[in-house]
Amino acid sequence: MTQQKPPPRQRPKRGVSMADVARLAGVSSQTVSRVSTGHPGVVGSTREQVLAAMKQLGYRPNSAARALKRGEFRTIGVTLFTLATTGNSRTVEAIASHAAEEGYAITLIPVASPTQDGLLGAFTRLGELAVDGVIVIMEVHLLDAVTVTLPPGAQVVVVDSDAGDRYTVVDTDQADGARQAVRHLLDLGHRTVWHLTGPAGSFASQRRADAWRAILTEAGRPVPEVRHGDWSAESGYHAGLELAADPECTAVFAANDQMALGLLRAFHERGRRVPDDVSVVGFDDIPDAASFIPPLTTVHQDFAAVGRLCVQAVLRQIRHQTTEPGTTLVPTRLVVRASTAPPRP
Amino acid sequence: MTQQKPPPRQRPKRGVSMADVARLAGVSSQTVSRVSTGHPGVVGSTREQVLAAMKQLGYRPNSAARALKRGEFRTIGVTLFTLATTGNSRTVEAIASHAAEEGYAITLIPVASPTQDGLLGAFTRLGELAVDGVIVIMEVHLLDAVTVTLPPGAQVVVVDSDAGDRYTVVDTDQADGARQAVRHLLDLGHRTVWHLTGPAGSFASQRRADAWRAILTEAGRPVPEVRHGDWSAESGYHAGLELAADPECTAVFAANDQMALGLLRAFHERGRRVPDDVSVVGFDDIPDAASFIPPLTTVHQDFAAVGRLCVQAVLRQIRHQTTEPGTTLVPTRLVVRASTAPPRP
DNA sequence: CCGCGTAATGTTTGCGTAAACATTGCCGGC
DNA sequence: GCCGGCAATGTTTACGCAAACATTACGCGG
């Protein structure tokens, strides 16, 4: 259907420029520019000619020149530690889709490690990067020390942080999610609820733990000692082994689904039946959660919404060249499956 | 320590350019350029002055101008359907890290849907994108119809495809992985092995299924009818319900870990014990697999290596402006856990 | 039928950088 | 002591695009 075979295209050492198109179409390069950018004031017949010439030569605007001229790159940078967590990868995916719809590309800036060095490296690179705005998916305090290296004028939106007083923050409503989880367990009749938290550096983890503690205190229930995990199923498993040994423990709220998975295995191995002997609630609602044994009751996060709101916020800021501190919370929803039940009398 | 507070930076409507630095340092802008690019021929004292001026003004090279001048963007595009699968997100992460080390940024190009329309949209965007090369993580035949829109001169490397005759292909050694899985089950004494495959469009899925069939045939074993899944645990669950009803079925090889998870749940619900009654092997070795009930025997993929090799390949091609057809396979390794055992006599 | 207004198109210019070429100044060999 | 040569630095130019300004041409009212 088309005239050339796919791969063995020889690069014409220098690309096709507007001048080439203009020459072929017999117009000035400015007219080509007008057609290319969709500006008005080009009569139909001329436009046709130009489009034909573009097609024939395989013209493609040079985005570097365009960016240089316009002073904007139409690109958003996304910084994060890892794509390995469901939350991050799903959020990034949503960001990428919505940015694409708006005509923006996204550039990934992975930070090797949460150390000062890793951060510095990443932000030095970032500083030289061609981005109009940045979405930071991490505790932003880590950023403070290195902010000076952000590209001049680049706007920042943050996920997983409490810096709503200084940045635009978009996040899942962690506290409400945790509240729903704990309330659900208490409503089922459990005396209290144990908690398995995420790594210390995560704001989401901390927020979930705070909310858990608050509800229990509010309800006048004893607050068991918190267990510390690192988001991994493995860490959930280890915590579960300990918890399984405590006959008092009839309900556990894990700060994410993967740790809940580890919990389920530990309880299974120790002969504590879920949900008969122990109830387990997770957080995230990863697709797999419905296939755990038993299917996991968990707090659903709307990562797509988080991504969409992030993009909208950065774009707004880029367009107005303003910073809009404030926090937008995305609601959560408890999904009740088979891992929770009333305690045995 | 630094002189300014993080967020409320007013964008100096026009950035600091080499000319500004040159003026302050009392040199020509070309000398600034030389310092900035690390070229030789600038004497120590001059260099110091320039660096000081840069620092004072907060100079940052304008990457658009640089790209325009040099004719390269130092950016690699990555096309994929979704980040939701472990394989994709892990591969992308590895790609991003290695590219960063080489001074290249990564631009994500998500393709909404595997339809002609979705592809066209993505590649039209891609065509205008500022990239020197592209890594395509999908069956590349989908690409053929639209290849003409790739940026001129951009080099392509492909994952999950058999187009090694036309493109550089980097992939996990799917066939060998499947072979190890099936061999393991046969060696344990199972008469034959059932297979749960991934979606039809995936080359990886197809390759695993082909290898499975080949080994069985080679060993003179009956080849059970293949079950079709879509990578999701849910689809594994449905397949599992059917398989559980067949008392002949004592060993299943699932094309990925998530479907294996669904299998485990189905067998559990139907009272078929794993591994006593049925053995299950997965593929991927996602971190959670070790915490399934029971811990899953699976084929470990080295996504980091895939990502690294992709980056090396594109960079090589970008630098030499050549296409190097050929396939590089990354070895796999069977990780034996608790979901496999000899069949009951 | 002249002149003015407006729509269509052309020309000039500059964005920030870095290659290519030009200039300066200093050192050493004869 | 003069000049060749080279190292350090300066000047010019072009990369491709698009805004700003300039020009053409055509139509219509007076």
Side-chain angles (χ1 to χ4, degrees):
Chain A
M1 190 178 125
T2 66
Q3 63 283 25
Q4 57 195 331
K5 296 193 180 59
R9 321 185 44 177
Q10 278 314 314
R11 158 185 276 195
K13 214 46 197 159
R14 171 135 266 110
V16 179
S17 80
M18 291 202 317
D20 302 318
V21 177
R23 204 169 308 119
L24 178 62
V27 299
S28 77
S29 61
Q30 181 54 33
T31 299
V32 177
S33 168
R34 280 192 266 257
V35 172
S36 161
T37 52
H39 275 224
V42 180
V43 85
S45 59
T46 311
R47 175 182 307 275
E48 295 302 317
Q49 276 182 344
V50 172
L51 288 175
M54 280 181 176
K55 192 168 178 187
Q56 185 182 332
L57 295 176
Y59 170 75
R60 203 165 300 289
N62 177 318
S63 37
R66 197 166 259 192
L68 175 58
K69 193 74 180 72
R70 303 214 261 226
E72 60 169 31
F73 305 98
R74 302 207 146 253
T75 297
I76 296 168
V78 178
T79 344
L80 35 56
F81 288 136
T82 175
L83 278 174
T85 67
T86 317
N88 282 5
S89 67
R90 302 271 298 280
T91 305
V92 169
E93 181 159 33
I95 289 174
S97 317
H98 286 279
E101 280 172 21
E102 300 279 350
Y104 275 72
I106 82 135
T107 290
L108 274 194
I109 303 128
V111 180
S113 67
T115 63
Q116 204 65 343
D117 262 16
L119 276 172
L120 247 159
F123 281 88
T124 303
R125 259 177 279 132
L126 178 55
E128 303 184 351
L129 231 47
V131 297
D132 303 309
V134 178
I135 295 173
V136 177
I137 310 189
M138 62 180 69
E139 224 333 320
V140 78
H141 295 133
L142 297 164
L143 250 173
D144 290 352
V146 289
T147 292
V148 284
T149 65
L150 277 178
Q155 297 298 331
V156 182
V157 165
V158 170
V159 186
D160 191 21
S161 175
D162 65 347
D165 54 325
R166 299 175 301 142
Y167 295 99
T168 301
V169 173
V170 175
D171 205 356
T172 293
D173 192 340
Q174 313 288 355
D176 188 61
R179 199 171 301 128
Q180 291 182 54
V182 177
R183 268 265 57 103
H184 170 65
L185 290 167
L186 294 183
D187 289 351
L188 283 172
H190 292 274
R191 186 165 146 269
T192 189
V193 176
W194 271 248
H195 182 51
L196 172 52
T197 188
S202 160
F203 176 71
S205 161
Q206 186 190 312
R207 191 76 130 196
R208 290 169 200 174
D210 290 348
W212 159 78
R213 200 185 328 267
I215 317 280
L216 289 185
T217 308
E218 204 173 276
R221 308 303 175 88
V223 179
E225 197 185 338
V226 75
R227 307 286 155 152
H228 293 276
D230 62 5
W231 293 142
S232 76
E234 187 66 20
S235 69
Y237 175 69
H238 290 303
L241 291 181
E242 289 177 31
L243 255 16
D246 182 353
E248 291 285 297
C249 171
T250 65
V252 187
F253 166 43
N256 79 342
D257 288 352
Q258 296 187 284
M259 293 194 298
L261 175 66
L263 241 29
L264 292 180
R265 172 157 86 104
F267 289 145
H268 177 82
E269 286 186 6
R270 287 295 189 260
R272 303 266 285 158
R273 283 168 305 156
V274 177
D276 307 317
D277 301 327
V278 195
S279 287
V280 174
V281 177
F283 205 112
D284 281 355
D285 193 22
I286 62 176
D288 288 357
S291 293
F292 286 180
I293 302 174
L296 188 71
T297 295
T298 187
V299 178
H300 180 86
Q301 288 203 65
D302 190 350
F303 294 112
V306 172
R308 179 166 37 78
L309 290 170
C310 281
V311 171
Q312 288 172 355
V314 229
L315 288 185
R316 210 166 38 238
Q317 298 193 176
I318 289 171
R319 284 170 186 151
H320 304 359
Q321 279 300 307
T322 56
T323 302
E324 304 169 349
T327 301
T328 306
L329 290 183
V330 176
T332 59
R333 174 169 51 84
L334 184 73
V335 179
V336 179
R337 297 203 181 91
S339 67
T340 49
R344 288 198 299 174
Chain B
M1 188 178 123
T2 67
Q3 62 282 24
Q4 54 193 333
K5 294 190 180 61
R9 323 183 44 177
Q10 279 314 314
R11 161 185 274 197
K13 218 41 197 164
R14 170 136 266 107
V16 180
S17 79
M18 289 201 323
D20 302 318
V21 176
R23 203 169 310 121
L24 178 62
V27 299
S28 77
S29 60
Q30 181 53 33
T31 299
V32 177
S33 169
R34 282 193 264 255
V35 172
S36 162
T37 52
H39 275 224
V42 179
V43 86
S45 60
T46 312
R47 176 182 306 274
E48 295 300 316
Q49 275 183 344
V50 172
L51 289 173
M54 280 181 175
K55 192 167 180 186
Q56 184 181 333
L57 296 177
Y59 168 76
R60 203 164 300 289
N62 177 318
S63 38
R66 200 166 257 194
L68 174 59
K69 195 71 179 81
R70 303 214 261 224
E72 61 170 30
F73 305 99
R74 301 205 146 255
T75 297
I76 297 168
V78 179
T79 342
L80 34 54
F81 288 136
T82 175
L83 278 174
T85 66
T86 317
N88 282 3
S89 67
R90 300 269 300 280
T91 306
V92 169
E93 181 159 33
I95 289 174
S97 316
H98 286 281
E101 281 172 20
E102 300 279 350
Y104 275 72
I106 287 297
T107 291
L108 274 194
I109 303 129
V111 179
S113 67
T115 65
Q116 204 66 342
D117 263 16
L119 276 173
L120 247 161
F123 281 88
T124 304
R125 260 178 278 132
L126 178 56
E128 304 185 349
L129 231 48
V131 298
D132 304 309
V134 178
I135 295 172
V136 176
I137 310 190
M138 60 179 72
E139 222 334 316
V140 79
H141 297 131
L142 296 163
L143 250 173
D144 289 352
V146 289
T147 292
V148 282
T149 66
L150 277 178
Q155 296 298 330
V156 182
V157 166
V158 170
V159 186
D160 191 19
S161 176
D162 65 346
D165 53 326
R166 297 175 302 143
Y167 296 99
T168 301
V169 173
V170 176
D171 204 356
T172 292
D173 191 339
Q174 313 288 355
D176 188 61
R179 198 170 303 129
Q180 291 182 53
V182 176
R183 268 267 57 103
H184 170 64
L185 290 166
L186 295 183
D187 288 351
L188 283 171
H190 293 273
R191 189 168 144 264
T192 187
V193 175
W194 270 248
H195 182 50
L196 173 53
T197 187
S202 161
F203 176 72
S205 162
Q206 188 190 311
R207 191 77 132 195
R208 289 169 201 175
D210 290 348
W212 160 77
R213 199 182 331 266
I215 316 280
L216 290 185
T217 309
E218 201 173 280
R221 308 304 174 89
V223 179
E225 197 185 337
V226 75
R227 309 285 155 153
H228 294 277
D230 62 4
W231 292 143
S232 75
E234 187 67 19
S235 70
Y237 175 69
H238 290 304
L241 290 181
E242 291 177 32
L243 255 16
D246 181 353
E248 290 285 296
C249 169
T250 65
V252 188
F253 166 43
N256 80 343
D257 288 351
Q258 296 187 285
M259 294 194 297
L261 175 65
L263 241 30
L264 293 180
R265 173 157 85 102
F267 290 145
H268 177 82
E269 285 186 8
R270 287 295 188 260
R272 301 267 286 159
R273 284 168 304 155
V274 177
D276 308 316
D277 301 328
V278 195
S279 287
V280 174
V281 176
F283 205 112
D284 279 355
D285 193 22
I286 64 176
D288 288 358
S291 293
F292 287 179
I293 301 171
L296 188 70
T297 294
T298 187
V299 179
H300 180 87
Q301 289 204 64
D302 190 349
F303 295 110
V306 173
R308 180 166 38 79
L309 291 170
C310 282
V311 171
Q312 288 172 355
V314 228
L315 289 185
R316 208 167 39 238
Q317 297 193 176
I318 289 172
R319 286 172 184 150
H320 302 0
Q321 279 301 305
T322 56
T323 302
E324 304 170 348
T327 300
T328 306
L329 290 182
V330 176
T332 58
R333 173 167 52 84
L334 183 73
V335 179
V336 179
R337 297 204 181 92
S339 67
T340 48
R344 289 197 299 173

